[in-house]
């Protein structure tokens, strides 16, 4: 048995807060063998009522430990407690949603007598679990993302091996252990905290039937290219979320949504507000209003109640964000707030006005507390710029005119367009996905459960 440990630190002060055992390839190889045998021997499948009972028990365990789970999210991931508590509530609801969606996971009758060739036959479909699932997750929602990947697998009856982000494995470990406590046999869900080379070997193994990935596009597309023949997948990457502000919009009323959407979790969200397009004459005023709010945000250790913006996940990310902002400023962007690091682990909430369109902050996902405001000629120019990148995820428009709202809904290249709300809005039963470079497949608990099953048809000759 491997005894090597991975130390987990608080990203604000870098103090050790726990550790988990590193999983080596020999252990993962055994996990894959166990999972494959479970799936191949159908008599070992857990009936739906047992899976429902396990998930109900997990939800109750999570409710009883909600504050402990929220503190752990803040402590290992740097998400402020106020937001970590919301994540826990969402995760509990997500487990419940897995149960509810099982009642909708059904087949249908296929009409056969539409031609003489099919006459005299009865046909219907059922849905079966797809097989062994391997899930690789991200750090920014260390409990809820695991629920979104592991919960559906357990619900539909797929054996699952989950690799959490190396920086935030404690929340995933807690959820897996609660599954065991609720009665799930360990071989149905395994935690694999492993090095990148081992993870790649696991993901691309031919025993894997479905690969779920949440993380960077570079890694996701690379792994997809190496999947074994027949392995299906879903990839969730990031975006550079655009917001269009129409001339009719009330700037003051939209301000709280833009602040929340841009600086929630210090911008470490795949659909965080990053590019705001405003008609000339209004951009400077909106940017200054945003900057005023940003200056009042409390930056600090996420485990402190007063903190509104926590640290970035590691010091290297602070250095990267700092370099991107410096490049934008050298290229002509005006800094209205922030624009500098506060410590080795924190960066000041930053508002930039009119960065160059080829600056990194304009073309790439910042994944930090940086919001950019651009002045445009008109609504068509704003839509053109919103659609100008190879990434496409969620977007938004603020307007008091229905025709403008519908124009943006029709013409913005995005999987979801929020009207009079920020780009990071989400409920867990809605489809959630990136287009083009931003992802592959559709997330959301019900959609993931559908992806982790497939149709089987019976045709009965009468």
């Amino acid at each position: 048995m491997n005894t090597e440990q991975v130390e987990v630190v608080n990203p604000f002060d870098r103090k050790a807060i726990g550790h988990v055992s590193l999983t080596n390839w020999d252990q993962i190889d055994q996990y894959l063998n166990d999972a494959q045998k479970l799936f191949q021997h159908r008599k070992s499948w857990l009936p739906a009522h047992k899976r429902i009972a396990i998930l109900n028990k997990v939800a109750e365990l999570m409710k009883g430990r909600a504050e402990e789970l929220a503190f752990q999210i803040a402590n290992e991931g740097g998400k402020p407690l106020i937001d970590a508590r919301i994540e826990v509530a969402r995760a509990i609801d997500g487990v419940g949603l897995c149960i509810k969606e099982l009642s909708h996971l059904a087949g249908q009758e296929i009409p056969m007598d539409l031609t003489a060739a099919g006459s005299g036959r009865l046909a219907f479909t059922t849905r079966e679990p797809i097989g062994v699932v391997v899930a690789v997750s991200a750090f920014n929602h260390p409990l809820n993302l695991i629920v979104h990947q592991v919960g559906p697998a357990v619900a539909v009856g797929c054996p699952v091996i989950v690799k959490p982000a190396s920086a935030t494995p404690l929340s995933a470990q807690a959820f897996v252990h609660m599954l065991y406590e609720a009665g799930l046999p360990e071989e149905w869900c395994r935690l694999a905290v492993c090095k990148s080379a081992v993870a790649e070997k696991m993901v691309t193994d031919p025993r894997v039937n479905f690969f779920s990935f949440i993380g960077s596009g570079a890694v996701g597309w690379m792994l997809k290219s190496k999947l074994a023949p027949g392995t299906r997948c879903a990839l969730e990457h990031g975006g550079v979320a655009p917001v269009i502000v129409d001339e009719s919009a009330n700037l003051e009323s939209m301000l709280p949504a833009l602040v929340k959407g841009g600086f929630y979790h210090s911008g470490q969200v795949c659909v965080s507000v990053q590019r705001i397009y405003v008609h000339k004459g209004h951009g400077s005023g909106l940017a200054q209003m945003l900057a005023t709010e940003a200056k009042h945000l409390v930056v600090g250790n996420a485990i402190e109640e007063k903190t509104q913006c926590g640290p970035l996940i590691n010091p290297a990310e602070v250095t990267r964000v700092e370099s991107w902002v410096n490049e934008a400023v050298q290229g002509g962007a005006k800094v209205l707030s922030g624009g500098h690091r506060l410590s080795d682990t924190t960066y000041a909430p930053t508002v930039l006005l009119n960065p160059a369109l080829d600056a990194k902050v304009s073309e790439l996902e910042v994944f930090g507390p940086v919001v950019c405001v651009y002045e445009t000629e008109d609504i068509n120019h704003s839509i053109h710029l919103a659609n100008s990148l190879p990434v496409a995820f969620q977007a938004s428009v603020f307007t008091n005119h229905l025709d403008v709202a519908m124009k943006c809904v029709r013409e913005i290249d995005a999987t979801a367009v929020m009207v009079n709300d920020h780009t990071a809005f989400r409920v867990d039963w809605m489809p959630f996905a990136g287009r083009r470079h931003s992802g592959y497949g559709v997330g959301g608990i019900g959609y993931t459960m559908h992806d982790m099953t497939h149709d089987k048809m019976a045709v009965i000759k009468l």
Side-chain angles (χ1 to χ4, degrees), residues 239-244 275-277 357 362-363 374 376 378-397 406-417 435-438:
V240 188
V243 176
I244 292 176
R275 298 178 290 156
I276 303 176
Y277 298 112
L357 296 180
S362 300
E363 293 188 326
Y374 307 82
T376 63
D378 53 30
I379 191 73
N380 291 316
H381 187 207
S382 294
I383 293 172
H384 169 73
L385 292 175
N387 293 341
S388 63
L389 302 180
V391 291
F393 211 138
Q394 295 196 161
S396 77
V397 55
M406 293 311 300
K407 176 182 175 67
C408 289
V409 169
R410 287 192 304 267
E411 297 184 16
I412 294 176
D413 187 11
T415 51
V417 178
R435 288 182 179 176
R436 296 192 284 155
H437 292 195
S438 289

Side-chain angles (χ1 to χ4, degrees), residues 202-215:
M202 171 176 65
V203 166
T204 57
D205 191 279
R207 289 167 289 186
V208 177
N209 301 101
F210 189 83
F211 170 48
S212 170
F213 178 82
I214 302 173

Side-chain angles (χ1 to χ4, degrees), residues 33 94 188 220-221 237 273 310 331 377 407 422 435:
N33 274 336
W188 281 95
W221 292 117
H237 303 147
V273 169
E377 298 297 332
K407 176 182 175 67
H422 61 70
R435 288 182 179 176

Side-chain angles (χ1 to χ4, degrees), residues 27-338:
Q27 290 171 286
I28 290 174
D29 184 46
Q30 187 60 53
Y31 291 168
L32 287 168
N33 274 336
D34 292 343
Q36 186 181 50
K37 288 177 182 177
L38 278 175
F39 183 68
Q40 290 175 339
H41 294 85
R42 299 192 171 213
K43 289 183 180 180
S44 67
W45 290 9
L46 298 173
H49 68 88
K50 287 189 177 180
R51 289 178 261 133
I52 289 170
I54 289 167
L55 290 170
N56 270 321
K57 178 63 175 175
V58 167
E60 290 303 312
L61 291 171
M62 293 172 75
K63 289 176 185 176
R65 301 170 191 175
E67 189 61 22
E68 173 189 337
L69 290 169
F71 183 85
Q72 188 162 260
I73 289 168
N75 206 18
E76 70 171 339
K79 178 181 288 185
L81 271 175
I82 188 173
D83 297 316
R85 292 186 180 112
I86 294 172
E87 179 176 341
V88 173
R90 282 182 60 190
I92 294 168
D93 288 344
V95 173
L97 189 59
C98 288
I99 298 168
K100 292 176 184 177
E101 288 292 340
L102 274 176
S103 65
H104 304 303
L105 204 67
Q108 61 181 343
E109 183 180 351
I110 308 298
M112 297 301 290
D113 61 351
L114 301 177
T115 67
S119 184
R121 291 167 175 82
L122 172 69
F124 59 89
T125 63
T126 59
R127 294 201 69 80
E128 291 186 341
I130 196 170
V132 178
V133 172
V134 166
V136 175
S137 203
F139 76 85
N140 54 338
H141 310 291
L143 178 63
N144 200 41
L145 293 183
I146 299 299
V147 167
H148 272 252
Q149 294 174 290
V150 174
V154 172
V156 303
C158 288
V160 56
I161 302 170
V162 57
K163 180 203 172 297
S166 58
T168 55
L170 299 178
S171 295
Q173 183 182 64
F175 182 69
V176 171
H177 286 173
M178 281 186 285
L179 283 169
Y180 299 160
E181 188 176 344
L184 184 72
E186 290 190 19
E187 60 267 26
W188 281 95
C189 181
R190 301 285 196 177
L191 184 75
V193 181
C194 54
K195 296 179 179 178
S196 296
V198 175
E200 181 178 333
K201 190 173 182 179
M202 171 176 65
V203 166
T204 57
D205 191 279
R207 289 167 289 186
V208 177
N209 301 101
F210 189 83
F211 170 48
S212 170
F213 178 82
I214 302 173
S216 76
V219 175
W221 292 117
M222 179 275 291
L223 291 173
K224 181 180 183 295
S225 73
K226 296 183 178 182
L227 293 179
T231 301
R232 298 184 185 182
C233 70
L235 311 176
E236 183 185 307
H237 303 147
V240 188
V243 176
I244 292 176
V245 179
D246 179 43
E247 288 183 273
S248 68
N250 184 299
L251 300 186
E252 289 187 5
S253 66
M254 75 175 70
L255 202 58
L258 292 180
V259 172
K260 188 64 177 178
F263 299 113
Y264 163 64
H265 201 1
S266 292
Q268 296 171 114
V269 180
C270 61
V271 286
S272 176
V273 169
Q274 184 171 328
R275 298 178 290 156
I276 303 176
Y277 298 112
V278 191
H279 191 272
K280 277 184 178 178
H282 299 282
S284 180
L286 176 58
Q288 191 57 63
M289 292 165 69
L290 272 173
T292 299
E293 295 297 317
K295 290 173 184 176
H296 289 103
L297 293 172
V298 178
V299 181
N301 195 332
I303 63 175
E304 296 176 359
E305 292 284 354
K306 64 181 181 180
T307 297
Q308 295 169 292
C309 288
L312 299 192
I313 193 62
N314 60 55
E317 288 299 286
V318 177
T319 299
R320 179 187 59 79
V321 171
E322 180 181 51
S323 70
W324 286 18
V325 171
N326 288 344
E327 177 207 54
V329 173
Q330 291 167 8
K334 184 177 181 180
V335 179
L336 299 184
S337 69

Side-chain angles (χ1 to χ4, degrees), residues 392-405:
F393 211 138
Q394 295 196 161
S396 77
V397 55
F398 286 85
T399 180
N400 285 323
H401 293 156
L402 181 60
D403 59 338
V404 173

